[in-house]
Amino acid sequence: MAVVSGRQIRAARALVGISQQELAEAVGLTKQSISKIEDGAVTPRAGTISDIVKKFHKFKVEFTPNEGLCIKSDSVTKLSGKKDFMYFVDLEYEAALAPSTIDGTKPFCMYNLDSRMFKKYLQEYHDAHVERLKKIKDLKIRIISPYTKEEQGVSNNYLDFRYIKDPNFAGMPFCAFGDYFAVINFDVEDPPEILLVYSQMLADSYRKQFDLMWKYALPSLDDK
């Protein structure tokens, strides 16, 4: 993790317009702790800095050398483990709330993903995530999977589901949401491992690829 100073954190807050209290709640600290970090009175743990950096990543703010800041264009972030997975589904949730997802301008697409893996590695956070997605009016997430609804226990109202018969032809699991594209690998030492790419061009390109696969995927369990 790159060195991030308290002055950078204060400047990043000013740049995106969030308070010390909002930042503190986002990373599990008190307002007083954030104030001390920004004033240089305490040296935060690497994990705390990582959480702060990820919070500003959602605003597309990047911390640069010599106490600089910039608004990111395209970027790639590697995530791994349960905590990063929770961060990842929080990004998905924020994208699900966006008008561009609801109106279909930037549809939410998931390919070759097994919902059982989400439940396994998110554990109790999975159910909370599903419940908040259910509350988003008119949300629709399209999924193509080699596993049937019955196998996955999928029944949520916001899911539009199709499947492919042969998992050997499925390829690497991926999803596209908002301006993000992500490749997800559960077959690693500290699962899942996620390559998260912030790129409108790439996200839109994979959505077009998904649309083509959607046409050839089977629309109902009766077709298997």
Side-chain angles (χ1 to χ4, degrees):
M1 176 61 63
V3 175
V4 175
S5 73
R7 286 186 295 184
Q8 275 178 295
I9 295 169
R10 182 184 291 115
R13 279 198 308 100
L15 184 63
V16 301
I18 64 171
S19 67
Q20 287 183 337
Q21 183 63 43
E22 288 172 309
L23 178 58
E25 290 174 358
V27 299
L29 296 175
T30 64
K31 178 183 176 182
Q32 290 74 20
S33 296
I34 294 296
S35 179
K36 289 179 180 179
I37 291 171
E38 291 184 352
D39 291 340
V42 298
T43 301
R45 295 179 295 114
T48 298
I49 290 295
S50 177
D51 289 343
I52 290 172
V53 169
K54 287 174 183 175
K55 172 62 179 177
F56 285 107
H57 179 266
K58 296 180 181 180
F59 293 99
K60 308 178 185 67
V61 173
E62 183 175 9
F63 294 89
T64 60
N66 301 316
E67 297 192 321
L69 296 171
C70 70
I71 300 296
K72 294 189 292 185
S73 52
D74 291 1
S75 65
V76 180
T77 305
K78 183 178 178 181
L79 306 173
S80 63
K82 180 181 177 181
K83 191 171 183 180
D84 279 356
F85 200 16
M86 292 168 66
Y87 164 73
F88 174 72
V89 298
D90 284 346
L91 279 181
E92 288 189 325
Y93 175 64
E94 290 181 8
L97 290 169
S100 59
T101 298
I102 302 301
D103 67 17
T105 306
K106 295 179 181 179
F108 200 135
C109 308
M110 305 180 75
Y111 179 74
N112 194 19
L113 285 163
D114 185 345
S115 63
R116 291 170 295 186
M117 294 295 101
F118 279 68
K119 191 170 184 67
K120 177 178 180 180
Y121 293 110
L122 287 172
Q123 299 172 343
E124 68 282 352
Y125 200 68
H126 172 268
D127 293 340
H129 178 54
V130 168
E131 287 304 312
R132 64 183 178 177
L133 289 176
K134 285 181 179 179
K135 295 176 182 178
I136 303 176
K137 185 179 179 182
D138 298 325
L139 173 64
K140 191 61 64 177
I141 297 176
R142 291 187 297 165
I143 295 180
I144 301 175
S145 175
Y147 309 101
T148 67
K149 282 184 178 181
E150 210 167 43
E151 289 171 325
Q152 296 185 74
V154 173
S155 60
N156 300 315
N157 61 314
Y158 57 83
L159 297 180
D160 194 356
F161 184 92
R162 292 190 179 185
Y163 72 95
I164 45 180
K165 286 184 176 181
D166 191 343
N168 294 320
F169 292 95
M172 180 65 74
F174 72 80
C175 60
F177 55 98
D179 291 330
Y180 286 100
F181 168 77
V183 176
I184 306 175
N185 185 7
F186 290 99
D187 190 21
V188 290
E189 185 175 338
D190 186 20
E193 185 174 275
I194 302 169
L195 194 64
L196 179 66
V197 183
Y198 177 78
S199 169
Q200 181 180 346
M201 181 185 71
L202 192 62
D204 287 345
S205 175
Y206 270 89
R207 271 190 279 261
K208 289 178 182 178
Q209 178 179 313
F210 182 94
D211 287 342
L212 181 61
M213 294 185 289
W214 184 261
K215 292 179 181 178
Y216 295 99
L218 300 175
S220 72
L221 296 181
D222 295 334
D223 295 325
K224 67 179 180 177

